[in-house]
Amino acid sequence: FYLTPPQVNSILKANEYSFKVPEFDGKNVSSVLGFDSNQLPANAPIEDRRSAATCLQTRGMLLGVFDGHAGCACAQAVSERLFYYIAVSLLPHETLLEIENAVESGRALLPILQWHKHPNDYFSKEASKLYFNSLRTYWQELIDLNSGETTDVKEALINAFKRLDNDISLEAQVGDPNSFLNYLVLRVAFSGATACVAHVDGVDLHIANTGDSRAMLGVQEEDGSWSAVNLSYDHNAQNEHEVERVKMEHPKSEEKSLVKQDRLLGLLMPFRAFGDVKFKWSIELQKRVVESGPDQLNDNEYTKFIPPNYHTPPYLTAEPEVIHHRLRPQDKFLVLATDGLWETMHRQDVARIVGEYLTGVHHQQPIAVGGYKVTLGQMHGLLTERRARISSVFEDQNAATHLIRHAVGNNEFGTVDHERLSKMLSLPEELARMYRDDITIIVVQFNSHVIGACQNEK
């Protein structure tokens, strides 16, 4: 099934979104110029989610990618709720009191977040009241705990992740008299999601990561070339520290059964995630909730089985690993992406492709033919193709789309091959997942002038 270039473009561009930060919004000149985001589904429906918002009561911008498994319910809930928990965790005591007093007296609330959403991004209106009540309980507790100290961003991020995961678990245990909502909270808790979130405030960049999505910084070296700096670590079997952490948390007798075939208890790829109560609740609690839950839950095989060698839960945490980085003028962009991207591309290639896209300057890499025997004619063809690619204006208006085009369409020579792109994008739903995962990308562009000025002030 052959797709024409316009058909390929319409598939690639269907979910793209761009946001430019207004230069003078009266508050502060931002270190973020703007961001591009995009998603390419492999699952039907897609299990990835993305979020971006400006914090209105504190300075700073939040951006995140969320990778769901066992369905999209948990990723959806986390993408809607986590930023509110983070924003509330960062608010000063007076602002929390102001918000609580407004709710008490039925006045209009101070807006906490300004969302930057793609028209297709879904929000579950049915659950908004339930979600609001859980969030309100959280800020009431923060008011009671007031220590008078200013909140540390790292601490706020960790508290927000853990608290939201706790609320997801609690809502599922309590249930809801409304049968639709009852089924929803159970689906959220029994499915799972990883999260990689950035908080950018002036020159302070914090990355909070739970699971195996990644954050990477694109740095422009003095000679104009591009390099990549990792700002997160995957929480899976490839990370020795993570395997050690899991082993330390359980008795020695379980050492052999904890990680099997590179999966947690032989089942789960990420070692940290939201939801996934199958790896957190006791067996008794799981049985009680499933038995008293709606019939649809009993029909779901996933909720019935108990993981093998399940002796000392919880085996899974949503606690993020937080990395702080002080932005420098040479830090030009940040890429947040679910593992669908990193499975197909090396971070160094990601840095180069996005860097060249943003500056419009190609650094001529020597043409690599990777051990292939190439005739002079073929080499001439490759060079001609390269020249045509440089002279043509970039066909993408969005850096995330440009990156997806490369992730899906790159051939062994590192160039986008239209035929390959056409094949990969025309795979039927049931086959697509065998060749690639959902891909979600946010590319954040930094304002070097503002970052330089902030540095000089400091």
Side-chain angles (χ1 to χ4, degrees), residues 134-378:
S134 293
L135 182 68
R136 185 183 178 190
T137 305
Y138 179 40
W139 81 54
Q140 287 170 336
E141 285 176 28
L142 289 174
I143 290 170
D144 294 341
L145 288 170
N146 173 36
S147 59
E149 292 167 23
T150 51
T151 317
D152 172 62
V153 177
K154 179 176 179 176
E155 205 180 318
L157 288 163
I158 292 171
N159 292 344
F161 272 61
K162 285 164 71 173
R163 177 59 182 235
L164 173 57
D165 192 52
N166 197 46
D167 283 355
I168 285 171
S169 174
L170 210 58
E171 288 157 5
Q173 289 172 49
V174 172
D176 196 283
N178 172 326
S179 59
F180 172 81
L181 272 183
N182 195 26
Y183 184 45
L184 176 77
V185 294
L186 289 162
R187 272 181 47 222
V188 168
F190 276 94
S191 59
T194 68
C196 188
V197 170
H199 179 264
V200 195
D201 179 4
V203 292
D204 290 305
L205 169 62
H206 285 84
I207 301 291
N209 182 50
T210 287
D212 52 10
S213 292
R214 275 186 211 165
M216 181 215 91
L217 200 59
V219 180
Q220 191 164 29
E221 303 299 342
E222 282 180 6
D223 66 356
S225 65
W226 295 94
S227 64
V229 176
N230 265 355
L231 288 181
S232 67
Y233 299 104
D234 294 358
H235 299 134
N236 57 24
Q238 272 59 60
N239 180 340
E240 288 172 24
H241 295 292
E242 198 58 12
V243 175
E244 275 314 301
R245 177 190 67 79
V246 171
K247 286 181 176 172
M248 293 284 290
E249 289 172 4
H250 298 276
K252 201 136 180 66
S253 56
E254 291 185 57
E255 206 167 313
K256 286 193 167 58
S257 58
L258 278 172
V259 180
K260 280 189 156 174
Q261 282 142 353
D262 281 351
R263 290 168 181 253
L264 190 64
L265 298 181
L267 297 167
L268 198 62
M269 288 285 272
F271 284 15
R272 303 191 195 195
F274 283 91
D276 279 320
V277 293
K278 304 270 339 151
F279 297 86
K280 293 173 181 171
W281 288 356
S282 69
I283 291 174
E284 300 73 49
L285 179 57
Q286 291 189 39
K287 284 185 171 157
R288 179 171 69 73
V289 170
V290 172
E291 278 161 18
S292 62
D295 293 340
Q296 302 108 299
L297 200 66
N298 286 313
D299 301 340
N300 184 337
E301 285 306 305
Y302 181 69
T303 56
K304 275 198 224 150
F305 84 95
I306 300 292
N309 304 301
Y310 198 77
H311 309 297
T312 53
Y315 288 90
L316 192 63
T317 177
E319 179 167 339
E321 192 170 5
V322 179
I323 288 179
H324 172 247
H325 175 82
R326 285 185 70 77
L327 290 169
R328 309 156 301 171
Q330 63 265 40
D331 299 331
K332 300 299 183 188
F333 60 88
L334 171 74
V335 176
L336 298 172
T338 53
D339 62 347
L341 173 70
W342 310 110
E343 282 165 7
T344 61
M345 290 187 88
H346 189 273
R347 63 176 182 271
Q348 199 48 54
D349 294 327
V350 170
R352 182 180 53 78
I353 287 164
V354 176
E356 290 179 356
Y357 170 83
L358 293 175
T359 56
V361 178
H362 277 282
H363 267 267
Q364 294 295 23
Q365 303 281 347
I367 283 192
V369 290
Y372 293 88
K373 284 201 167 113
V374 179
T375 65
L376 265 176
Q378 286 170 317

